[in-house]
């Protein structure tokens, strides 16, 4: 289903809206692509919107925020994601919180992997398709 977003005087307004919803509110809405269908200053202009997936982020980046940008490659508007790295203080606080929570789980023998913000078992989880749990006494998968 197509999405559209309002475009007025070179500015992107509001948020994307589904075509069916837009037709209910403005049955004869005007769609511009700024090329073959130029901007019309006499009416409310809408331009096709393309939803893009957010980028992958590391454990030490803020979840991406998005704004909307006109993209001449698609003659429409798309998401523009921004990823922000943690400050050293934010990274240290996240590690501290993660490690404190880990201590409450009372899981023995695992090694902290700071780069990926996780704990790794001394032996990998078996890949034979069976279900296992970590045994703190034998320090093995059981």
């Amino acid at each position: 289903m197509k999405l559209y977003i309002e475009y007025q005087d070179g500015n992107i307004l509001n948020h994307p809206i589904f075509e069916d919803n837009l037709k209910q509110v403005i049955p004869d809405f005007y769609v511009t692509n700024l090329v073959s269908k130029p901007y019309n200053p006499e009416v409310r202009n809408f331009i096709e919107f393309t939803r893009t997936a957010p980028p992958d982020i590391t454990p030490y980046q803020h979840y991406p925020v998005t704004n909307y940008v006109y993209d001449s490659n698609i003659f429409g508007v798309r998401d523009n994601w921004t990823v922000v790295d943690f400050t050293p203080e934010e990274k240290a606080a996240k590690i501290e919180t993660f490690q404190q929570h880990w201590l409450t789980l009372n899981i023995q023998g695992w090694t902290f992997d700071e780069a990926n913000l996780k704990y790794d078992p001394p032996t990998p989880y078996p890949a034979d398709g069976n279900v296992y749990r970590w045994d703190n006494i034998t320090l093995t998968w059981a």
Side-chain angles (χ1 to χ4, degrees), residues 33-49:
N33 64 13
L34 303 180
V35 181
S36 62
K37 287 187 76 182
Y39 174 75
N40 181 348
E42 304 299 318
V43 296
R44 289 177 70 184
N45 287 256
F46 290 86
I47 193 165
E48 195 165 334
F49 182 85

Side-chain angles (χ1 to χ4, degrees), residues 59-60 91-103 107-122:
Y60 304 114
K91 181 178 177 180
K94 187 165 187 178
I95 290 170
E96 177 67 21
T97 301
F98 187 80
Q99 288 179 321
Q100 289 302 316
H101 173 71
W102 184 261
L103 291 175
I107 297 176
Q108 306 298 315
W110 292 41
T111 306
F112 181 58
D113 174 0
E114 183 177 319
N116 296 302
L117 194 64
K118 66 177 189 154
Y119 277 86
D120 292 320

Side-chain angles (χ1 to χ4, degrees), residues 4 19-20 28-29 46 51 53 83 97 114 127 129 131 135 137:
Y4 292 93
E19 182 178 32
D20 288 349
D28 56 347
F29 69 96
F46 290 86
R51 181 66 69 198
V83 177
T97 301
E114 183 177 319
V131 177
D135 185 322
I137 296 172

Side-chain angles (χ1 to χ4, degrees), residues 63-75:
Y63 189 78
V65 294
T66 186
N67 59 358
Y68 309 127
V69 294
Y70 177 76
D71 185 337
S72 60
N73 293 320
I74 61 171
F75 303 112

